[in-house]
Amino acid sequence: KVLVGTQNIEDDPRNWIRLGAYLSTNLPKGKDYQLPSLDNVVQKELALGWGLASYQFQRFKTNKNETSRSSLVVDKDLSSKLESEIAAVSFSRDLVNTPSNELRPSHLSAIAEDLAKQYGLTCNVIIGDDLLTKNFPMIHAVGKGSDDAPRLIELRGGSGKNKVTIVGKAVCFDTGGYDIKPSNGMRNMKKDMGGGALSLGLTKWLCEEKLDISFRVLIPAVENRISDKAFLPGDIIKTRLGKFVEIDNTDAEGRLVLCDALAAASEEDTDMIIDFATLTGACRVALGPDMPGFFTGNDSWANDLQALSFECKDPVWRLPLWRPYFNMLKSGPADLVNSASSGFAGAITAALYLKEFVKDASKWMHFDTYCWSDDSKPGTPQGADTQALRAVFSFLEKKFRS
Ligand code: BES
Ligand code: ZN
Ligand code: ZN
């Protein structure tokens, strides 16, 4: 028997998850452990942490760390649910951790095609100049500076009655373009495809856990680079929806690729559009690394989601679509600019920009998330993280469990 003592479990609502992870790595190896009878939530969180602790990103280690693991024996229902949860989180983490030389737009579309094969989804990819003929001019404009062609990845699956559209920003590397980032700001920008990674992780999870959903996934995948072909500050580009956008800042590229994808998402009848994006530094200044900001025109979804996110210990926090700030996106020569004149409320002005391209904001939720953990905690090693993924799944599960 193992007797465990803890302190300050209230300091961080995730401490049961952390404790599970800690036990899994620190108890004597090669044994099967069982939990005593515990509150269901505590049991689930300990087991989740236990499972998450097995994640390691070792693709680029010559000597792989083959630690023998101990198992935690839990009942079958819980273990099968946790397995799909942990697999989804690990899949997203691997994508974000993979460096940009090995995860270019072409790699990402190949991975989406593999996922489609594995789960019997349909996959369609629009590449390079076809983006122009199929009317995705913004995705093309942002990605044309790279020799790995920009693309829009589309997946469809599920046969349930509720239609959910998932959109993810996948900027496989964000140099900032000609509005180049300083080196410390650029250092981690392999993770700027985190929105796409969360979308694919959620897709995998939805394929494993049958909900009453049919889903459509749209992932614009590009590299934001500097080259003789790259787009420039001051360029004016007509979007899919027809609005003209003046490029004030080539580093505000996420909203550009998303605006064409969101317009396409809105063209089909759908009950819900969810987008994930590592969109603004401003959202991190406001809420820090742990807590994605989210925006929606649907108060009831917002309340449910916010409560569920705290229950499942993947907290998200609603920020307002405060219309008066839309003024900050005025353009002289065009309909709007992509980057606000003031640095204030940067997460909100980015969300207001996106809202222009969504048909019905009461069916839309936008997540501005970090996708990274700067330090190592039990169960969350330094590197890729999946903030908002578990919260959104829990919301969909509650609404659409068949
Ligand atoms: N990918 C970045 C946002 C980002 C930076 C997210 C760091 C998380 C951590 C995005 O493309 C960007 O550069 N946004 C700019 C927008 C600005 C130019 C209006 C930002 O946040 O500074
Ligand atoms: Zn940027
Ligand atoms: Zn970016």
Side-chain angles (χ1 to χ4, degrees):
K1 292 208 173 173
V2 182
L3 185 64
V4 182
T6 64
Q7 56 180 5
N8 297 336
I9 208 90
E10 287 87 18
D11 278 358
D12 183 333
R14 299 162 298 188
N15 274 346
W16 289 116
I17 299 177
R18 299 256 163 78
L19 178 61
Y22 178 86
L23 292 173
S24 134
T25 29
N26 289 288
L27 289 179
K29 306 282 181 244
K31 298 193 191 313
D32 288 348
Y33 292 90
Q34 268 177 305
L35 295 169
S37 63
L38 285 168
D39 172 79
N40 274 346
V41 174
V42 174
Q43 171 170 320
K44 192 217 147 166
E45 290 178 3
L46 285 169
L48 174 64
W50 189 290
L52 287 173
S54 66
Y55 179 80
Q56 286 177 295
F57 183 68
Q58 301 203 83
R59 178 167 162 194
F60 301 95
K61 291 281 191 196
T62 317
N63 298 314
K64 314 245 190 266
N65 184 0
E66 308 263 1
T67 44
S68 75
R69 302 237 136 238
S70 313
S71 335
L72 183 70
V73 184
V74 294
D75 72 64
K76 254 182 82 201
D77 278 2
L78 179 59
S79 79
S80 93
K81 280 196 71 176
L82 288 175
E83 264 164 34
S84 39
E85 179 160 359
I86 291 158
V89 169
S90 304
F91 181 56
S92 301
R93 281 182 179 175
D94 276 347
L95 294 174
V96 174
N97 278 327
T98 305
S100 299
N101 57 327
E102 295 290 340
L103 200 113
R104 309 193 75 189
S106 54
H107 295 103
L108 197 63
S109 60
I111 289 166
E113 277 158 5
D114 285 349
L115 194 71
K117 252 186 231 130
Q118 185 185 348
Y119 290 107
L121 314 174
T122 58
C123 182
N124 180 38
V125 187
I126 302 170
I127 304 174
D129 288 346
D130 285 351
L131 289 166
L132 293 175
T133 50
K134 300 245 160 77
N135 193 23
F136 292 96
M138 275 300 188
I139 300 173
H140 182 267
V142 174
K144 70 185 171 158
S146 170
D147 64 323
D148 199 81
R151 59 202 65 210
L152 178 64
I153 303 163
E154 181 181 26
L155 294 165
R156 288 175 195 269
S159 54
K161 69 170 181 299
N162 302 287
K163 298 195 185 82
V164 176
T165 309
I166 301 160
V167 180
K169 167 182 173 181
V171 174
C172 294
F173 195 83
D174 184 9
T175 66
Y178 276 93
D179 288 302
I180 187 168
K181 288 182 180 294
S183 35
N184 61 343
M186 201 189 297
R187 177 63 180 83
N188 265 344
M189 282 299 126
K190 69 171 184 183
K191 78 174 177 74
D192 211 22
M193 33 56 71
L198 296 183
S199 304
L200 291 177
L202 182 59
T203 303
K204 185 177 168 64
W205 200 346
L206 291 173
C207 292
E208 293 282 346
E209 292 287 318
K210 302 275 173 284
L211 306 187
D212 188 12
I213 285 178
S214 43
F215 55 84
R216 179 186 187 201
V217 184
L218 292 166
I219 301 175
V222 303
E223 288 174 344
N224 188 18
R225 282 197 183 242
I226 295 171
S227 82
D228 61 328
K229 298 194 182 59
F231 73 137
L232 296 171
D235 284 358
I236 296 176
I237 303 159
K238 190 176 182 182
T239 62
R240 179 175 185 83
L241 198 62
K243 291 180 202 283
F244 287 94
V245 172
E246 181 185 12
I247 307 304
D248 175 73
N249 191 318
T250 57
D251 197 11
E253 84 298 337
R255 64 196 77 179
L256 298 176
V257 297
L258 286 175
C259 79
D260 277 356
L262 286 170
S266 295
E267 284 160 18
E268 273 187 21
D269 176 39
T270 176
D271 299 309
M272 187 183 285
I273 299 175
I274 300 172
D275 80 67
F276 299 103
T278 50
L279 201 62
T280 70
C283 199
R284 304 290 59 85
V285 173
L287 298 170
D290 291 0
M291 209 170 295
F294 78 96
F295 299 81
T296 176
N298 189 316
D299 293 342
S300 134
W301 289 359
N303 295 336
D304 290 353
L305 172 69
Q306 181 135 348
L308 282 167
S309 78
F310 278 71
E311 262 172 48
C312 78
K313 315 291 155 65
D314 181 21
V316 296
W317 197 260
R318 190 187 192 184
L319 295 173
L321 290 161
W322 180 247
R323 188 68 194 174
Y325 295 162
F326 190 67
N327 278 336
M328 295 192 227
L329 294 173
K330 272 204 297 254
S331 163
D335 295 324
L336 71 168
V337 290
N338 72 328
S339 159
S341 46
S342 143
F344 283 2
I348 299 176
T349 50
L352 288 170
Y353 175 95
L354 296 180
K355 182 172 173 281
E356 284 302 287
F357 299 88
V358 174
K359 192 151 91 194
D360 181 355
S362 73
K363 293 185 173 173
W364 168 59
M365 289 197 284
H366 154 58
F367 292 85
D368 191 335
T369 182
Y370 193 42
C371 284
W372 197 255
S373 173
D374 287 301
D375 51 12
S376 268
K377 302 249 169 57
T380 324
Q382 191 275 337
D385 202 353
T386 58
Q387 296 95 341
L389 176 60
R390 296 195 307 105
V392 168
F393 184 83
S394 147
F395 176 76
L396 293 176
E397 185 178 38
K398 180 90 175 241
K399 253 183 131 35
F400 302 131
R401 177 51 91 193
S402 46

